Amino acid sequence: MLHRAHPEEEDEIGIVEEYIGDYASISSIVREALPFEIIATMGGVIAGIILSGMTEELQLIPGLIVISPAVLGMRGNISCTLGSRLGSAIHMGLITKIEKNPELTNNIGGSLLLSFIISAILGLMGHFVTIAFGLESAGALTLMFIAVLAGVSSGLILVVVAVFLALGMFRFGFDPDNVVTPAIATIGDIVSMLMLFLAAKVVLLL
């Protein structure tokens, strides 16, 4: 015997199907993501401008040019993944506001720990790769210090940005998955390059 859906159930199914249709439509994806993708492109240009202003630091700290692109890539990978995980958790109702929530604190803690570990490995790899190609290096400890200082400091800033941005976009009716990742990629490039510049300045002052 076939079970006929109750009228209320049919209404709920219709609402869900309508929401999924809007959520997955091409127009919705393009409308929400395009402005932030354009901003992301501009952010990459700004990061390049900051790098072009680091001529003195790049000359005085051999090996810095080797780890610079990797710092940007690492920061984008970790922070964009955090933004994506936050978006998924918000959609699932696991995170609804900024509070002492295991889902939120674990994501933040994991992101910062990854930033520290990968930054240290990056600095070490930068030194040995530079030496392997017969180039001069400022030393493993120096490059590790710069990478860790830049990676962790930018990570702290981007954690705050990611949390507020993901929750804020959701409350304003935007899909965090369409907005947070390109926004974090943009802000991450700029913040990471600034922190790398400041970390290099700190090393030169020591």
Side-chain angles (χ1 to χ4, degrees), residues 19 40 52 76 95 97 109 112 156 161 170 185:
Y19 171 75
S52 67
I95 300 175
K97 59 182 179 179
L112 294 177
L156 285 169
V161 173
F170 187 75

Side-chain angles (χ1 to χ4, degrees), residues 88-144:
S88 299
I90 290 171
H91 280 304
M92 296 170 64
L94 299 176
I95 300 175
T96 57
K97 59 182 179 179
I98 299 176
E99 59 182 354
K100 193 174 181 180
N101 181 320
E103 186 72 22
L104 182 59
T105 54
N106 288 345
N107 273 290
I108 292 174
S111 176
L112 294 177
L113 182 58
L114 279 173
S115 297
F116 177 80
I117 295 173
I118 300 300
S119 295
I121 294 173
L122 170 60
L124 195 61
M125 288 180 60
H127 167 72
F128 286 112
V129 168
T130 302
I131 296 297
F133 278 91
L135 302 173
E136 185 182 357
S137 171
L141 291 178
T142 298
L143 294 180
M144 285 178 66

Side-chain angles (χ1 to χ4, degrees), residues 1-197:
M1 182 176 179
L2 296 175
H3 171 71
R4 296 189 61 182
H6 192 275
E8 292 182 357
E9 293 178 351
E10 292 179 351
D11 291 341
E12 290 179 359
I13 293 173
I15 292 172
V16 170
E17 290 178 346
E18 181 181 355
Y19 171 75
I20 292 175
D22 292 338
Y23 173 81
S25 68
I26 295 176
S27 61
S28 173
I29 294 171
V30 173
R31 183 177 64 252
E32 292 186 7
L34 182 60
F36 292 93
E37 294 291 349
I38 294 173
I39 295 173
T41 303
M42 295 172 60
V45 173
I46 294 172
I49 293 172
I50 296 172
L51 179 61
S52 67
M54 293 176 59
T55 306
E56 182 181 358
E57 288 74 22
L58 293 173
Q59 291 176 343
L60 294 176
I61 305 176
L64 180 60
I65 187 64
V66 176
I67 67 172
S68 297
V71 168
L72 293 184
M74 173 203 71
R75 185 69 279 140
N77 292 337
I78 295 176
S79 297
C80 287
T81 300
L82 172 63
S84 179
R85 289 178 61 87
L86 290 176
S88 299
I90 290 171
H91 280 304
M92 296 170 64
L94 299 176
I95 300 175
T96 57
K97 59 182 179 179
I98 299 176
E99 59 182 354
K100 193 174 181 180
N101 181 320
E103 186 72 22
L104 182 59
T105 54
N106 288 345
N107 273 290
I108 292 174
S111 176
L112 294 177
L113 182 58
L114 279 173
S115 297
F116 177 80
I117 295 173
I118 300 300
S119 295
I121 294 173
L122 170 60
L124 195 61
M125 288 180 60
H127 167 72
F128 286 112
V129 168
T130 302
I131 296 297
F133 278 91
L135 302 173
E136 185 182 357
S137 171
L141 291 178
T142 298
L143 294 180
M144 285 178 66
F145 176 78
I146 292 174
V148 169
L149 183 58
V152 174
S153 60
S154 59
L156 285 169
I157 296 171
L158 291 173
V159 159
V160 175
V161 173
V163 171
F164 278 96
L165 192 60
L167 288 170
M169 289 296 101
F170 187 75
R171 289 180 181 177
F172 281 103
F174 291 92
D175 178 6
D177 293 330
N178 289 339
V179 176
V180 176
T181 298
I184 289 297
T186 304
I187 300 170
D189 285 346
I190 298 172
V191 170
S192 297
M193 191 57 69
L194 280 173
M195 293 301 105
L196 188 66
F197 176 72

